[in-house]
Amino acid sequence: MTGSSLFFSNEASFSDKSSLLADLKDRIAGIESAGSKVVTDRPTGVVPLGVADLDDALPGGGLARGRLHEVTSTGGRSKRTRLEGDVAALGFAAALVGRAAGDEGAVLWCTNQKSLYHAGGLHGPGLSVFGVDARRLVLIDGADDTQVLWAMEEGLRSGALDAVAGEVGNLTLAASRRLQLAAEAGGGLGLLVRVSTKKTAKTVTAASTRWEVAVAAGESVESLEGLGAARWDVRLARCRGGSERRWQVEWNHETHCFAVVAPMAGQPAVPGAAPAAGEDTGQVVTLPRRALG
Amino acid sequence: MTAMNAAAAQEGLRQGMGLADARAVLPHLLVEQSAIKADEKALSALAHWCGRYTPWTTVDAHGANPLTGGRDSILMDVTGCAHLFGGEERLLSDLMARLAEFGIEARAALADTPGAAWAVARFSDMDGAGHSIVSPGGSRDVLGPLPVTALRFAPETLENFDRLGLRQVKDLLALPRAPLARRFGPPVARRIDQALGFEDEPISPVMPVVPYRVRLAFLEPVGRVDDIAYALTTLLEQLCPMLNEDQRGVRRLTLDLFRVDGEVESVTVGTSRPVRTTEHLARLFAGHLEQIDAGFGIDAAVLSASLTAPLSEVQVELPGEAGGGRTQGNADLSLLVDQLGNRLGMDKVCRLEARESFVPERAVVTVPLAAGGAAAGDPDLGEQSEPLWPAHLKRPLRLLSAPEPVQVVAEVPDGPPVLFRWRRDTHRVARVDGPERIGPEWWRGAGPGSQQARDYYRVEDQEGRRFWLFREGLYATADVHASSVQDEPQPRWYLHGMFA
């Protein structure tokens, strides 16, 4: 996808093909959501993240409502260091939920008792930093993943909530598909907050986007005092109808907004793939044969 | 021998006989070990089943079996219920027919008072029907020829009567009351009064009696889930207008299904706040109906609202949900909360509430949403725009349920941490923010944060992870270095939370 703008250098064919592409995308979206016959009265739209850099990477200019999204942490793969990394993912998820709910929306947050034991409970004042108002928050304390998934599904299906977040360990594709269908039926934003395990990275889910979040190691300028804003290394690892990207993002707890610190340009889209040659020098690149035909 | 059936009794067997004597009378006698506990259990199940006739049913506390001390009868108050079954006679014959189907031999009596019914059921000669009805006001005549045992006296009293030659109830009734009471004690007089209806004898029912109760009997036993669901809807449609009239809503609702084999299946659902919408309540039962074991079929259903609360015409709004146009959303949300609560347990569906305290573990409490009374009457609901917590407070996203002790390298006496070790990992602190001192809440008794001041630091380690550490207590101002001399407790470091 990174080469697409270079690829259609001819103006006429570009507009032609882009409309064709849009048409195709619409049709695919129609096919994909065919599972749910329920037509919701809730306007399905997007939740803009408030920063052009991030929103541009997402189809429709934001996180789609009525879809399932996924936030995982890349904090630590070992059992001991997993915890701290997960908090960063949790913070990012809370920020997304806060933006989705806005000032009026209700939120359901499902926690798993097991994770509670290890990492402590969600702290109300800490949540409000990310724009989640505790007064419109319903907390579920599930005994295991099954209960959490069930509660999320019920919450998404009910249509009474703007955002449903759940801390889930492992889940099957089928389970995530169920959540996706429930989200389509209810129109709320579904968010899987996944505890990072070795399996997490490999499993495929039906989520529309997948974000991998880690704390940004102290690269920022020494601020004058204190710690400064929370900073994360955010990678849009999978995005249906969008491209894979990576940013360093800060959260402003006063304006409840993201801010992109440094777009991580030149990062290979897929680890191991060759970086696009000549991107830095601005040279015209010869593309594979297919492009010319 | 503690009990026998009618056929054995006709052959001349009596209670209290030894087994050898009984075998001598009737060589082919079938004997079973008596199981008092199991009998009691079966009896109370039967009492529950009798709830199909009237809510006022109970196992009679006064057993007539002197050998086992076991209770052997069920009391029912059918006042105002008989017409539902076509009269008292029809009710009794229906009851007896059903009991006979279960293979239970029973004697039933219907009288003005529990005492009279108790006596008649045990000691009166009944014709083949096995039940008799004492006409209103006729207790005295019917009781007269019965033995004095029929009035539920204590054994020693009965012995006294026997010695005095008082054999029949009418002998007793003929005596002047005052000397009788003086001679034998007040309980005797009370028993007589209870039998004749001069003194009230309340029945305390097995099931709590509820004012909101609807009943549906089926012509044919049903067993399919669809049929039960239909019955439920029908019952709810009767119940909800009743509640509407009284401006009340359901908090707890029980559906009792009476099976033809005498078992009772019960399903109970709760709601987080008063509800009287048919669809809402029907949805709560949805998952439970499949799990009902209908057995050979269900022939009656009773729906009772065992807990209700006032509910005005207007739907109560969830806290923080004020604002027009969201009423439908509110209804959906409370339905969702009820669905979640009924499956996971009402205490698992919570909301966070702020408390007036700076000690972090006291500042927030999780309150079950089902404690609707507190939510509706929350005093600070008026100021919706006010945030629950001051925005300038920097609090972690995750708070450990209890602060965990950490080993810290820090400057004495009040320097920030430089290095700390938590859960076997060493973290080198790169940046620090703080301290924020949270004073002890001396006005509380023992408990977290009530004894010593805490100095909280927000720290970031070299990998960018952020923690909330605090030092509890202060070093004594004088000779810090002479720590070996002082016997005051040293300050300790704890890790309390993690920032995102």
Side-chain angles (χ1 to χ4, degrees):
Chain A
M1 285 301 267
T2 45
S4 62
S5 56
L6 288 169
F7 173 71
F8 301 114
S9 49
N10 185 328
E11 285 294 324
S13 75
F14 175 72
S15 65
D16 225 23
K17 293 206 174 179
S18 73
S19 69
L20 182 68
L21 207 62
D23 183 41
L24 282 172
K25 275 181 182 170
D26 278 354
R27 282 168 62 186
I28 291 173
I31 294 164
E32 277 178 341
S33 61
S36 65
K37 298 283 185 284
V38 190
V39 182
T40 56
D41 48 354
R42 182 181 286 265
T44 50
V46 293
V47 182
L49 299 184
V51 186
D53 278 344
L54 270 74
D55 286 338
D56 287 349
L58 296 164
L63 284 182
R65 290 187 194 273
R67 299 273 158 188
L68 188 67
H69 303 275
E70 188 183 354
V71 176
T72 67
S73 81
T74 51
R77 292 277 184 256
S78 90
K79 201 174 178 182
R80 280 217 309 273
T81 55
R82 185 197 298 168
L83 195 65
E84 300 88 341
D86 282 344
V87 183
L90 199 68
F92 185 73
L96 295 183
V97 164
R99 288 201 69 89
D103 287 336
E104 298 226 319
V107 174
L108 177 74
W109 196 296
C110 312
T111 57
N112 190 331
Q113 275 174 348
K114 286 172 197 159
S115 77
L116 208 85
Y117 169 72
H118 271 294
L122 283 173
H123 194 45
L127 273 175
S128 64
V129 167
F130 295 100
V132 180
D133 189 346
R135 276 175 299 212
R136 294 188 308 275
L137 175 71
V138 179
L139 276 178
I140 297 279
D141 192 9
D144 50 28
D145 279 351
T146 321
Q147 285 198 349
V148 169
L149 289 172
W150 176 81
M152 283 184 76
E153 192 183 327
E154 289 293 312
L156 283 169
R157 202 176 290 282
S158 75
L161 302 159
D162 290 76
V164 176
E167 295 170 27
V168 184
N170 288 316
L171 82 168
T172 59
L173 179 61
S176 67
R177 183 82 188 133
R178 282 184 70 100
L179 289 178
Q180 168 64 32
L181 290 176
E184 279 170 26
L189 180 90
L191 202 62
L192 284 171
V193 187
R194 299 196 53 199
V195 181
S196 67
T197 55
K198 279 174 187 161
K199 274 189 191 166
T200 312
K202 288 179 205 158
T203 46
V204 181
T205 63
S208 298
T209 61
R210 177 190 201 135
W211 303 80
E212 290 182 356
V213 183
V215 285
E219 290 172 15
S220 61
V221 198
E222 201 74 36
S223 54
L224 288 175
E225 60 165 296
L227 299 184
R231 177 178 290 204
W232 304 304
D233 191 354
V234 174
R235 178 164 166 258
L236 182 57
R238 214 163 62 80
C239 177
R240 195 164 284 181
S243 55
E244 202 181 303
R245 297 279 295 278
R246 191 169 178 178
W247 306 269
Q248 271 213 353
V249 170
E250 270 188 358
W251 175 255
N252 187 328
H253 65 268
E254 273 159 8
T255 56
H256 291 173
C257 268
F258 289 109
V260 169
V261 181
M264 295 200 143
Q267 286 283 350
V270 181
E279 214 169 64
D280 297 334
T281 52
Q283 279 178 337
V284 177
V285 185
T286 320
L287 286 158
R289 217 168 290 119
R290 198 157 48 89
L292 298 168
Chain B
M1 288 195 45
T2 57
M4 72 221 66
N5 65 2
Q10 258 179 0
E11 294 292 331
L13 298 193
R14 289 290 170 265
Q15 262 184 9
M17 264 184 166
L19 183 59
D21 297 342
R23 282 250 165 82
V25 176
L26 205 65
H28 52 276
L29 183 70
L30 291 178
V31 184
E32 290 283 344
Q33 285 287 333
S34 73
I36 297 168
K37 285 247 171 68
D39 285 350
E40 291 250 325
K41 213 168 147 191
L43 196 63
S44 65
L46 198 63
H48 196 179
W49 173 83
C50 287
R52 58 179 289 124
Y53 295 104
T54 163
W56 300 89
T57 69
T58 186
V59 176
D60 191 356
H62 193 90
N65 194 326
L67 294 174
T68 60
R71 304 187 291 176
D72 56 1
S73 59
I74 293 169
L75 273 178
M76 293 161 62
D77 184 351
V78 293
T79 313
C81 301
H83 72 277
L84 294 172
F85 300 90
E88 294 175 345
E89 179 64 40
R90 298 269 287 277
L91 186 148
L92 272 191
S93 47
D94 182 66
L95 173 64
M96 296 308 289
R98 282 178 194 277
L99 288 177
E101 275 175 35
F102 300 155
I104 296 174
E105 280 178 16
R107 290 160 63 91
L110 201 153
D112 288 349
T113 61
W118 194 93
V120 173
R122 282 177 175 77
F123 297 98
S124 165
D125 279 331
M126 294 178 185
D127 39 3
H131 64 266
S132 69
I133 295 176
V134 179
S135 54
S139 298
R140 182 177 279 264
D141 299 336
V142 177
L143 289 177
L146 299 184
V148 282
T149 331
L151 289 190
R152 299 180 289 176
F153 296 119
E156 50 272 23
T157 316
L158 287 174
E159 267 174 41
N160 280 340
F161 286 154
D162 196 43
R163 233 177 293 139
L164 295 174
L166 297 168
R167 298 278 143 71
Q168 286 184 327
V169 174
K170 61 180 174 216
D171 302 338
L172 266 184
L173 297 182
L175 293 174
R177 189 189 142 82
L180 189 74
R182 214 167 38 241
R183 171 72 177 78
F184 297 105
V188 171
R190 203 173 79 228
R191 284 300 186 200
I192 295 172
D193 285 349
Q194 280 177 348
L196 296 181
F198 295 128
E199 190 175 320
D200 205 23
E201 186 183 0
I203 292 178
S204 94
V206 182
M207 295 179 289
V209 173
V210 290
Y212 301 101
R213 191 179 145 99
V214 285
R215 184 180 175 285
L216 186 69
F218 307 121
L219 287 176
E220 292 269 314
V222 300
R224 283 168 53 223
V225 174
D226 290 351
D227 295 339
I228 300 171
Y230 180 76
L232 176 65
T233 319
T234 317
L235 288 171
L236 281 171
E237 277 163 4
Q238 292 175 26
L239 186 73
C240 290
M242 284 165 69
L243 291 164
N244 199 13
E245 222 160 76
D246 293 357
Q247 300 279 297
R248 293 184 81 80
V250 173
R251 289 295 306 277
R252 194 164 61 228
L253 196 59
T254 307
L255 178 68
D256 286 313
L257 297 167
F258 295 91
R259 278 162 46 168
V260 285
D261 56 358
E263 299 281 318
V264 184
E265 291 278 326
S266 291
V267 181
T268 302
V269 296
T271 62
S272 61
R273 55 200 62 237
V275 173
R276 59 160 175 267
T277 330
T278 313
E279 301 83 44
H280 185 141
L281 294 171
R283 286 270 288 278
L284 296 183
F285 278 103
H288 297 289
L289 293 183
E290 282 88 10
Q291 285 158 20
I292 287 172
D293 178 12
F296 294 107
I298 289 162
D299 60 357
V302 170
L303 186 70
S304 34
S306 44
L307 194 64
T308 58
L311 175 67
S312 56
E313 285 289 351
V314 189
Q315 186 82 29
V316 180
E317 292 194 79
L318 260 193
E321 284 275 322
R326 290 195 66 91
T327 347
Q328 180 56 39
N330 277 336
D332 285 352
L333 192 56
S334 61
L335 171 59
L336 173 70
V337 167
D338 292 344
Q339 278 178 317
L340 294 172
N342 276 309
R343 164 103 175 239
L344 306 176
M346 280 295 179
D347 55 328
K348 295 285 163 62
V349 186
C350 301
R351 65 198 192 90
L352 297 174
E353 224 171 61
R355 288 279 182 272
E356 274 190 20
S357 172
F358 276 98
V359 178
E361 52 265 60
R362 285 187 191 280
V364 187
V365 287
T366 43
V367 187
L369 260 170
D378 216 341
D380 59 14
L381 271 182
E383 36 202 308
Q384 289 291 335
S385 52
E386 285 289 304
L388 279 179
W389 292 281
H392 62 85
L393 287 182
K394 287 169 180 144
R395 291 288 179 259
L397 187 56
R398 275 209 190 278
L399 191 75
L400 296 178
S401 39
E404 293 183 9
V406 285
Q407 292 165 290
V408 168
V409 176
E411 232 176 82
V412 175
D414 53 2
V418 179
L419 186 81
F420 67 94
R421 208 171 145 74
W422 176 57
R423 292 191 181 177
R424 293 189 290 161
D425 270 344
T426 306
H427 302 264
R428 199 170 286 278
V429 174
R431 288 188 289 171
V432 183
D433 186 17
E436 176 189 348
R437 176 162 297 179
I438 295 177
E441 294 184 331
W442 50 265
W443 56 91
R444 297 189 197 277
S450 62
Q451 299 305 317
Q452 285 182 299
R454 296 170 173 184
D455 280 347
Y456 276 94
Y457 292 91
R458 298 165 68 221
V459 304
E460 184 174 313
D461 72 0
Q462 284 183 326
E463 283 153 74
R465 298 174 294 200
R466 294 178 173 193
F467 301 94
W468 211 31
L469 294 170
F470 71 87
R471 184 187 57 228
E472 191 174 58
L474 301 167
Y475 286 96
T477 43
D479 46 39
V480 173
H481 302 286
S483 54
S484 57
V485 186
Q486 64 185 8
D487 48 355
E488 278 182 38
Q490 290 289 319
R492 297 197 54 175
W493 285 88
Y494 294 92
L495 191 144
H496 205 176
M498 281 152 286
F499 295 90

